[in-house]
Amino acid sequence: MERGRSSSTKLSSSPFFFFFLFLFLLLGKTQARRERPKPCKSLVVFWHDILYNGANRRNASSVIVAAPAWGNRTVLSSPNNFGDVVVFDDPLTTDDELSSKPVGRAQGLYLYDSQAVYSAWLAFTLVLNSSAHVGTMNLIGYDPLLNKTREVAVVGGTGDFFMARGIATLTTRAFEGSVYFRLRLDIKLYECY
C-alpha cells in the first residue's frame, strides 16, 4: 500500500514541478527583456512653441487649426483644451534660449485628446540641419502635460537618422500661459544605421 501512495504522490506533484519550472523560465525571459540596451546615438534639443493668440502674428510658430463647437481658433478651449488641434513649425535650439542659433525645426501637430486629464497627442518631425546633424526624425506619442517627464517614440528618420528607433524624453522647461512653452527633448536612439 505504501508503494502505491508514493507513486501517486510523485505523479500528482509532477504537474506542479513543471508549472513552477515554466513560471521560472518565463520570469527569467521577462527580466532579460527589461534590461535596456545602451543607445547608439543621443542628442538634446530645445523645442520653442509660440501659439498664435490673435495679436502675435509676427512671432507665432503654431496655430489652432481646429476647435470644438464651443471654442475658437485664437484661445484654447476648456476643459483641458479638449478638441483643439494645433499645427506648428517651431524652432529647435541646442540650449534653453530662443535667441540662440537654431539647429532645425519641429514640424507637425498636437491635439488635446482628453476632457479629464490635461494631455495631448503628438505627431511631428524634427528637421535638423546643423553642422552636427542633417536629417529628420519622426516622433509620435501621448503627452500627459502635467508630468515632469514624458516619453514619446522615435519611429523613423532620414539622413543621419535613417530608420532610427528610440525614445525622446520630454521635459517642460518654461511656459507662459497657453501662448508659449519650451521643452527639452533628450533623444536616445537604439536602432541606428
Side-chain angles (χ1 to χ4, degrees):
M1 199 73 162
E2 285 296 317
R3 193 173 194 184
R5 276 189 198 171
S6 65
S7 65
S8 67
T9 306
K10 286 180 185 177
L11 289 177
S12 65
S13 64
S14 71
F16 289 111
F17 172 76
F18 287 112
F19 172 75
F20 286 111
L21 178 64
F22 174 75
L23 190 61
F24 176 76
L25 292 174
L26 182 67
L27 288 175
K29 285 186 178 186
T30 304
Q31 290 295 339
R33 278 190 230 140
R34 289 186 184 169
E35 293 176 20
R36 288 190 177 176
K38 298 220 182 286
C40 52
K41 191 179 285 191
S42 61
L43 70 136
V44 174
V45 293
F46 292 85
W47 171 12
H48 307 266
D49 183 85
I50 303 170
L51 183 64
Y52 174 69
N53 66 1
N56 63 348
R57 185 171 159 246
R58 289 180 163 249
N59 295 333
S61 59
S62 62
V63 64
I64 302 169
V65 295
W70 63 87
N72 67 58
R73 293 193 310 193
T74 57
V75 177
L76 292 168
S77 305
S78 288
N80 297 320
N81 308 339
F82 177 68
D84 287 319
V85 178
V86 177
V87 173
F88 58 88
D89 181 12
D90 295 333
L92 296 171
T93 62
T94 55
D95 60 31
D96 263 341
E97 299 302 317
L98 180 57
S99 60
S100 63
K101 183 180 177 188
V103 294
R105 309 290 292 181
Q107 299 172 330
L109 64 91
Y110 51 91
L111 58 96
Y112 294 97
D113 59 351
S114 177
Q115 293 184 53
V117 179
Y118 189 50
S119 66
W121 182 80
L122 306 170
F124 63 103
T125 300
L126 300 180
V127 182
L128 297 165
N129 190 11
S130 69
S131 58
H133 300 288
V134 176
T136 66
M137 257 187 284
N138 301 314
L139 294 90
I140 192 166
Y142 171 70
D143 183 11
L145 298 161
L146 297 179
N147 291 2
K148 183 177 179 179
T149 61
R150 299 87 72 192
E151 291 182 337
V152 295
V154 176
V155 296
T158 64
D160 291 346
F161 310 102
F162 177 74
M163 292 186 63
R165 300 286 187 274
I167 296 292
T169 302
L170 311 175
T171 308
T172 303
R173 301 289 288 192
F175 66 92
E176 295 172 15
S178 61
V179 177
Y180 174 75
F181 69 77
R182 179 176 62 246
L183 298 180
R184 179 180 194 266
L185 281 72
D186 184 5
I187 302 164
K188 303 226 181 311
L189 302 178
Y190 296 95
E191 282 187 37
C192 303
Y193 294 93

